[in-house]
Each structure stands twice: as C-alpha cells, then as structure tokens.
C-alpha cells in the first residue's frame, strides 16, 4: 500500500490517503510538543517506538475483543489504519493521582485510587482541550448517549488489559489518554495511539518515570526512558510467545 496525498499533519503524526478510501497511512514523527504546543522539541527515535508500541498494544487489545483502527504495520514509522471520523473527546483514564488531576484537586501524585476514574476533554486545541462532562458532550453534539456509554465501557476494559500487561513488565500504568473513532457503519473503535506520549508509566519498584513527563518536566533521559519502556514491552511480548 502506497502513501497518497497528505491529508493531515498533527503534532506527532502525519496522515496520508491511500488507494482505498477506507484506509489511511499514519506516519509517526519524532516531534514532541507539550502544554498545547507551547513547548516543542524532538525525541530521537520516538516515532519508531510509538508506532511499534501502539501497534503491539492495539494488537493485544484486538485479541481480547476490543475493536481498534489498526490494520497493518507497514514500516518502522508507518501503519495502515481504518479511516475513522474521530470523536472529538480525549478520554482519560486514571489509576493513580498525577498531572492535571493532582493540580486541580490539590493532592500529591501517586495516590492509588480504589477504582479507576474516567474523564473527558473537548479535543479542541484553540480552547486548550477543556475538561467537560457527558452532558456538555451531548449538548455540543460531540457524541450520542449510546456512543458515550460504549466509549466508557471500552475505556475501562482497555484499562484492565493494559494495567495487567504493564504490571507484568514491572510498570505501573498511572493514567492515559484514548481517542475513539466512528467507522463508516457508525461503530466505535479505538483510534489514535497508545504510547509513552499518551500514558504515564512508572517503574513499579523505583517510581522512575518512563514516559513523556520526562520531556514535559525537563527531567532529562527522555530518549533512554522511551527505549527502556519499549525494551520492557518487547521482552514481555517475547516471553509470552
Ligand atoms: P493530565 O490530564 O494529567 O495532563 O494527563 C492525563 C494523561 O493523559 C497522561 O497520561 C497524558 O499523557 C495523557 N494526555 C492528556 N492530554 C493529552 C494530550 O493532549 N496529548 C497527549 N499526548 N497525551 C495527553
């Protein structure tokens, strides 16, 4: 499958048309941004890691019955995906306090919740992705009641699968952001990516951050952290084969 015209360029990915109107090629970049584009940089090798990690995790989710947009990994940085209409909601699942949750509610990071939380942001860069509730999402026509119900069901199911997998790698899944899309038939599938850009992943023994917070917070060792988390995933996937 060949890349056709570029139809979109986001902060971390480019999207190309293909010969098939139902399929697109996503190409992962090394570019990194944070704080709604205010902080910019490059994380060498990130595109290849995020592509491979996202595909491996989505493949694992597919195998447990969760529908995703993934079709086939084409190269180090490129993946063939189903064309979807992205639901303009960032779906954030949390197992421990961190990031904007800690800031908003004035609690320290690392408090384990007795049950996971889910929250939605309106995916809108010019507004800074504001937090919104289900009624707001309905009022704005971003999704239907049934779609929101399905998205929440899938998000918690995905959390259980990912939590279990990362735990087997000696990694705590603190929180993560998902995006969902509608296929041509209207059904909801997991889209976008699952990577250290979109998840907080802490070493379970030391608490070391192995994700994009190293870039966001200028902690250093960004490339090493991405390589380390990828190596843990690959080791675990090989052991499971
Ligand atoms: P927080 O709301 O605490 O900043 O982020 C919660 C989780 O969602 C983190 O794992 C973070 O990586 C992810 N997340 C939230 N918003 C975004 C976003 O706009 N881009 C990316 N890549 N991840 C996000």
């Amino acid at each position: 499958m060949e890349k056709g015209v570029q139809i979109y360029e986001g902060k971390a990915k480019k999207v190309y048309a293909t010969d098939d109107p139902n399929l697109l090629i996503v190409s992962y970049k090394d570019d990194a941004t944070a704080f709604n584009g205010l902080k910019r940089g490059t994380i060498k090798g990130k595109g290849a890691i995020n592509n491979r990690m996202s595909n491996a995790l989505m493949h694992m989710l597919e195998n447990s019955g969760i529908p995703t947009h993934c079709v086939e990994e084409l190269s180090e940085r490129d993946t063939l995906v189903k064309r979807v209409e992205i639901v303009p909601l960032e779906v954030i699942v949390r197992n421990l306090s961190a990031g904007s949750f800690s800031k908003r509610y004035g609690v320290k990071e690392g408090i384990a919740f007795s049950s996971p939380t889910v929250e939605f942001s309106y995916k809108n860069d010019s507004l800074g992705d504001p937090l919104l509730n289900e009624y707001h999402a309905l009022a704005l026509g971003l999704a239907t009641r049934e779609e929101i119900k399905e998205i929440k069901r899938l998000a918690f199911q995905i959390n259980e699968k990912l939590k279990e997998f990362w735990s087997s790698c000696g990694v705590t899944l603190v929180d993560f952001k998902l995006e969902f899309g509608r296929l041509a038939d209207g059904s909801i599938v997991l889209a976008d990516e699952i990577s250290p850009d979109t998840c907080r992943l802490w070493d379970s023994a030391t608490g070391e951050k192995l994700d994009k917070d190293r870039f966001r917070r200028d902690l250093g060792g960004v490339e090493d952290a991405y390589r380390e988390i990828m190596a843990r995933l690959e080791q675990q996937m090989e052991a499971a084969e």
Side-chain angles (χ1 to χ4, degrees):
M1 188 68 74
E2 296 289 311
K3 278 181 194 163
V5 290
Q6 183 182 309
I7 55 173
Y8 170 79
E9 178 162 11
K11 291 172 222 159
K13 297 187 283 290
K14 290 180 183 177
V15 180
Y16 298 89
T18 68
D19 294 344
D20 185 332
N22 293 315
L23 298 175
L24 301 173
I25 294 174
V26 176
S27 188
Y28 285 73
K29 306 189 288 183
D30 284 352
D31 296 353
T33 64
F35 313 119
N36 201 18
L38 288 177
K39 184 179 167 80
R40 288 171 186 276
T42 302
I43 302 173
K44 205 164 164 280
K46 173 173 89 77
I49 288 175
N50 285 8
N51 183 41
R52 276 162 40 226
M53 182 178 293
S54 192
N55 289 338
L57 293 173
M58 288 213 192
H59 187 65
M60 186 182 82
L61 293 171
E62 283 272 0
N63 284 341
S64 61
I66 291 158
T68 78
H69 70 159
C70 280
V71 178
E72 191 189 353
E73 191 167 292
L74 298 176
S75 69
E76 205 182 35
R77 286 172 187 270
D78 297 341
T79 292
L80 189 65
V81 299
K82 293 175 190 163
R83 184 191 280 269
V84 296
E85 180 193 7
I86 291 285
V87 177
L89 291 173
E90 297 200 335
V91 181
I92 296 166
V93 179
R94 300 179 193 269
N95 296 305
L96 282 80
S97 62
S100 70
F101 183 96
S102 288
K103 206 167 163 191
R104 185 174 312 115
Y105 302 117
V107 294
K108 65 177 192 208
E109 295 200 310
I111 302 166
F113 303 149
S114 53
S115 54
T117 68
V118 69
E119 72 207 37
F120 300 108
S121 291
Y122 180 18
K123 196 174 143 57
N124 183 319
D125 279 343
S126 58
L127 296 175
D129 298 340
L131 193 68
L132 89 184
N133 70 29
E134 294 177 38
Y135 298 98
H136 299 152
L138 281 175
L140 292 167
L142 307 182
T144 66
R145 208 179 292 276
E146 293 70 33
E147 285 174 338
I148 293 172
K149 192 172 164 202
E150 176 67 355
I151 285 171
K152 283 196 296 184
R153 186 184 75 81
L154 290 171
F156 284 125
Q157 220 181 321
I158 292 165
N159 182 44
E160 290 311 311
K161 286 283 154 204
L162 294 182
K163 217 167 45 170
E164 187 187 328
F165 173 74
W166 283 119
S167 166
S168 72
C169 303
V171 170
T172 302
L173 177 63
V174 175
D175 57 29
F176 55 98
K177 185 258 304 179
L178 301 172
E179 293 183 24
F180 292 87
R182 300 178 186 100
L183 293 178
D185 68 0
S187 59
I188 293 285
V189 299
L190 178 63
D192 194 46
E193 66 178 284
I194 310 175
S195 73
D197 275 16
T198 62
C199 303
R200 285 198 174 92
L201 300 160
W202 294 354
D203 182 290
S204 303
T206 65
E208 189 188 357
K209 297 184 198 316
L210 298 171
D211 57 60
K212 196 176 163 192
D213 271 352
R214 299 206 75 85
F215 169 79
R216 295 187 186 103
R217 302 180 186 190
D218 293 322
L219 299 177
V222 184
E223 276 96 359
D224 284 347
Y226 275 70
R227 277 196 294 268
E228 169 67 20
I229 197 76
M230 189 64 205
R232 299 248 193 131
L233 175 141
E234 282 180 332
Q235 212 173 24
Q236 194 54 31
M237 294 237 161
E238 272 163 30
E241 268 170 17

